[in-house]
Amino acid sequence: VKKDGGNHFGFYSAESSVVWTRDQLELERELRAAIKNDELQVLFQPIVNAQSHHIARIEALVRWLHPKRGYLSPSEFLPLAEDIGQIEQLGEIVLKTSCAAAYNLLQLGYPVNVSVNVNPRQLLNKNFPQTIVQVLHDTGLPAKSLILEITESAIVNDMERVSKVLEEIKRLDILIALDDFGTGYSSLTLLRELPIDILKIDKSFVRTLDQNRNDLKIVQAIIGLGKNLGLTVIAEGVETERQVKLLLQHACYFHQGYYFSRPIPYEALYNLMQHKLLR
Ligand code: C2E
Ligand code: MG
Ligand code: MG
Ligand code: MG
């Protein structure tokens, strides 16, 4: 959280109830306006086939360019969007923008699958599949080019509802990725109960892969688990060549992280796609 001249916002008390400061109320008003006026930006981070160095897919990551505070990261405004009941609207904007971007690239001769993060609130809404159908129709993107990334232990409490919505989404030919795998937010229960296609190893394990024997063993086990279940395994937060090598040694071929590229705007992504190879 940025601090400018004593301004601060969005801190939580020990009981995790929001402490409402004047700044917080102002930020809330500004976020509503930003969502309404389409002031959110979507960046794209390549997910690379680390053997061929081709871009295999892209992940959409939302940013808010605040007039005074500058770029805010999702952790700085997504909780607020949830609090003010705007997370579904925000999600729909990101979905539209992401599908439109992937469709543009497809039209330009660079077909690429786009992965979009979804909040549990979206998955709990039985109209979500219909929203997706509408967005695909409006943007022209084929359903098979879309991947949804899910997390959150909150889902576990309402597994039946979420699983119904996801089954419907799967019937549309859309793939589902389980994000942040190995953290408390993505449990084995989700893997067992939900129709998952892709496993994303959380970056906390990848970060210390080359320093910590246990993390290497955990990553090895996750890769094995994913493969045994017939899933595609992606490593998140890959920053060093050594990490790339270790992951390849253990047969994890899809890598996402600063080593290959940070999240970048559409135009920069288009430039990258034209060069075909990363690094
Ligand atoms: P995530 O879906 O796990 O996305 C990966 C995060 O790791 C991104 O953070 C990305 O910028 C960061 N990252 C990528 N490579 C590296 C690396 O090599 N090193 C390090 N240290 N970090 C790396 P970001 O963009 O801040 O997003 C944070 C989280 O916010 C996302 O985690 C996702 O859970 C959520 N999020 C982002 N955009 C959206 C959205 O449009 N909708 C929803 N519901 N959630 C979103
Ligand atoms: Mg994600
Ligand atoms: Mg993740
Ligand atoms: Mg996450």
Side-chain angles (χ1 to χ4, degrees), residues 5-274:
N7 281 351
H8 49 82
F9 61 91
F11 61 89
Y12 292 78
S13 76
E15 293 77 42
S16 128
S17 60
V18 181
V19 178
W20 292 101
T21 64
R22 199 175 351 141
D23 284 353
Q24 175 103 24
L25 290 171
E26 188 186 340
L27 198 69
E28 174 188 315
R29 190 178 43 73
E30 289 168 335
L31 181 56
R32 275 182 201 283
I35 291 169
K36 189 158 161 265
N37 305 328
D38 210 5
E39 286 166 14
L40 298 175
Q41 297 183 12
V42 179
L43 299 184
F44 300 95
Q45 187 176 33
I47 299 168
V48 177
N49 179 329
Q51 281 184 308
S52 68
H53 286 205
H54 279 98
I55 297 176
R57 24 179 98 76
I58 53 178
E59 178 173 6
L61 295 158
V62 69
R63 298 289 181 270
W64 177 16
L65 180 53
H66 187 279
K68 277 177 289 195
R69 299 177 202 267
Y71 275 103
L72 298 183
S73 67
S75 62
E76 291 171 295
F77 64 90
L78 289 183
L80 185 62
E82 283 187 37
D83 285 345
I84 64 174
Q86 295 284 303
I87 194 74
E88 289 186 79
Q89 284 85 334
L90 185 152
E92 199 173 326
I93 292 170
V94 174
L95 188 64
K96 268 187 201 152
T97 309
S98 307
C99 291
Y103 179 75
N104 275 341
L105 290 170
L106 180 65
Q107 289 301 97
L108 291 163
Y110 303 104
V112 69
N113 294 349
V114 65
S115 219
V116 179
N117 293 286
V118 301
N119 181 275
R121 285 246 68 81
Q122 294 173 279
L123 293 174
L124 289 167
N125 187 334
K126 63 172 169 35
N127 295 323
F128 187 47
Q130 192 48 48
T131 302
I132 298 172
V133 169
Q134 189 65 47
V135 169
L136 291 173
H137 177 266
D138 291 348
T139 58
L141 188 73
K144 65 171 168 50
S145 303
L146 179 63
I147 302 161
L148 298 182
E149 299 200 1
I150 66 168
T151 44
E152 301 293 328
S153 52
I155 292 173
V156 177
N157 303 326
D158 223 328
M159 197 69 94
E160 234 172 285
R161 229 161 111 200
V162 169
S163 131
K164 267 193 199 133
V165 170
L166 282 184
E167 294 291 352
E168 208 175 318
I169 288 169
K170 290 276 325 161
R171 279 199 290 276
L172 299 171
D173 221 7
I174 292 164
L175 297 180
I176 310 292
L178 187 51
D179 207 351
D180 303 341
F181 189 77
T183 69
Y185 297 109
S186 265
S187 67
L188 289 167
T189 312
L190 268 66
L191 199 55
R192 188 183 58 190
E193 301 292 329
L194 303 176
I196 308 292
D197 306 287
I198 298 165
L199 210 61
K200 298 189 76 173
I201 305 173
D202 189 69
K203 55 180 176 296
S204 60
F205 299 109
V206 175
R207 192 189 308 128
T208 48
L209 196 59
D210 40 7
Q211 301 148 30
N212 188 324
R213 286 292 316 162
N214 281 339
D215 281 18
L216 181 59
K217 283 183 186 156
I218 290 169
V219 166
Q220 232 178 310
I222 296 175
I223 295 166
L225 175 67
K227 300 239 153 160
N228 283 329
L229 292 170
L231 309 178
T232 299
V233 179
I234 298 175
E236 276 192 319
V238 178
E239 294 186 353
T240 68
E241 190 173 354
R242 177 109 183 95
Q243 289 164 351
V244 172
K245 287 209 171 116
L246 282 169
L247 287 161
L248 284 176
Q249 265 171 30
H250 293 93
C252 176
Y253 304 115
F254 295 104
H255 301 182
Q256 175 179 1
Y258 297 167
Y259 178 76
F260 288 107
S261 168
R262 287 181 174 263
I264 50 178
Y266 173 83
E267 294 73 24
L269 174 71
Y270 176 55
N271 281 334
L272 271 189
M273 301 287 284
Q274 287 176 304

